[in-house]
Amino acid sequence: GESVGLHLPTLSVQEGDNSIINCAYSNSASDYFIWYKQESGKGPQFIIDIRSNMDKRQGQRVTVLLNKTVKHLSLQIAATQPGDSAVYFCAENKGAGKSTFGDGTTLTVKP
Amino acid sequence: DTAVSQTPKYLVTQMGNDKSIKCEQNLGHDTMYWYKQDSKKFLKIMFSYNNKELIINETVPNRFSPKSPDKAHLNLHINSLELGDSAVYFCASSLSSYEQYFGPGTRLTVT
């Protein structure tokens, strides 16, 4: 079956350090991947996306890496701040209305 | 300015009751979704509609029935509520297969 999973359910980092959140997916036919951030009491919010014809995409303080060979996706957050504390989800899209979310990683930033 | 709105935000009800959650988006998106998030933060898709047509109907009890009167609305009706239905329900919308915009969630508590 298909699944999208994150390697670690929790991650704790020191403020100012870089964070890396990982995700493994199983459907090699997926062509579009998205990272979402969910703060406490709110709905998930789009952070960054990447298409399968790319290996890397950068945003503001965030970078997504895609390794199709091993079906692995990662989200790197530079200079992590307290406001980055949240649950992070990876998701794969397989067409309109069809997306699968990973289990989520809770990132805690220590001051 | 609210992009995706849900009502109510909190819903407390007794077992056996029937309740509805409403969702509206003003983004002009053609695809809408309902997700269930449990206490462990697992985000599971329940239904998705593309241009008012049901695309995804995951393994959800038939006590749950979505209704999409138009592309901007997707309501969720739940019959004979059970304790296990307690969760946070998120509505989301997207333009085709692009990133999804989530509502603030409806916390359903069944007693």
Side-chain angles (χ1 to χ4, degrees):
Chain A
E2 309 171 346
S3 66
V4 179
L6 290 166
H7 293 309
L8 290 173
T10 61
L11 177 65
S12 184
V13 300
Q14 208 69 39
E15 182 179 355
D17 287 352
N18 296 335
S19 302
I20 299 177
I21 301 172
N22 296 304
C23 179
Y25 64 95
S26 59
N27 189 343
S28 55
S30 294
D31 61 359
Y32 181 50
F33 303 87
I34 304 173
W35 280 100
Y36 292 89
K37 172 186 180 183
Q38 184 179 19
E39 295 175 283
S40 180
K42 297 182 179 179
Q45 186 177 17
F46 169 84
I47 302 174
I48 191 167
D49 58 2
I50 188 167
R51 295 218 169 262
S52 59
N53 60 354
M54 302 171 70
D55 298 324
K56 180 179 179 179
R57 189 152 190 238
Q58 284 185 295
Q60 188 177 16
R61 283 200 307 117
V62 294
T63 301
V64 56
L65 298 177
L66 176 62
N67 185 331
K68 294 179 286 294
T69 303
V70 295
K71 290 185 277 191
H72 182 269
L73 191 68
S74 69
L75 176 71
Q76 300 178 3
I77 305 173
T80 314
Q81 303 169 359
D84 295 326
S85 293
V87 180
Y88 289 82
F89 294 94
C90 63
E92 56 177 325
N93 279 18
K94 299 179 287 288
K98 301 173 185 175
S99 56
T100 303
F101 277 70
D103 293 343
T105 289
T106 299
L107 174 66
T108 303
V109 182
K110 296 177 290 187
Chain B
D1 287 332
T2 303
V4 182
S5 59
Q6 296 177 230
T7 54
K9 187 167 176 61
Y10 299 97
L11 184 54
V12 180
T13 188
Q14 291 184 326
M15 284 174 54
N17 285 348
D18 303 338
K19 291 293 179 185
S20 291
I21 307 172
K22 295 187 176 182
C23 178
E24 176 181 2
Q25 55 96 3
N26 62 4
L27 298 166
H29 289 167
D30 56 5
T31 307
M32 296 187 72
Y33 313 76
W34 275 111
Y35 289 86
K36 179 181 181 181
Q37 187 171 48
D38 63 21
S39 58
K40 295 183 179 178
K41 300 294 187 182
F42 295 141
L43 198 60
K44 184 172 173 59
I45 191 166
M46 300 172 69
F47 304 102
S48 72
Y49 273 73
N50 177 248
N51 285 316
K52 293 174 55 182
E53 180 185 344
L54 183 64
I55 299 296
I56 291 179
N57 183 355
E58 290 295 308
T59 308
V60 175
N62 57 14
R63 298 182 294 104
F64 290 79
S65 54
K67 280 192 172 55
S68 182
D70 54 58
K71 286 200 303 183
H73 296 85
L74 181 62
N75 303 322
L76 183 66
H77 188 74
I78 316 169
N79 290 328
S80 303
L81 278 154
E82 300 177 358
L83 292 176
D85 298 333
S86 295
V88 181
Y89 291 83
F90 285 101
C91 175
S93 72
S94 68
L95 188 60
S96 190
S97 60
Y98 290 96
E99 72 271 19
Q100 296 175 33
Y101 291 75
F102 284 78
T106 295
R107 183 174 292 278
L108 172 65
T109 303
V110 183
T111 61

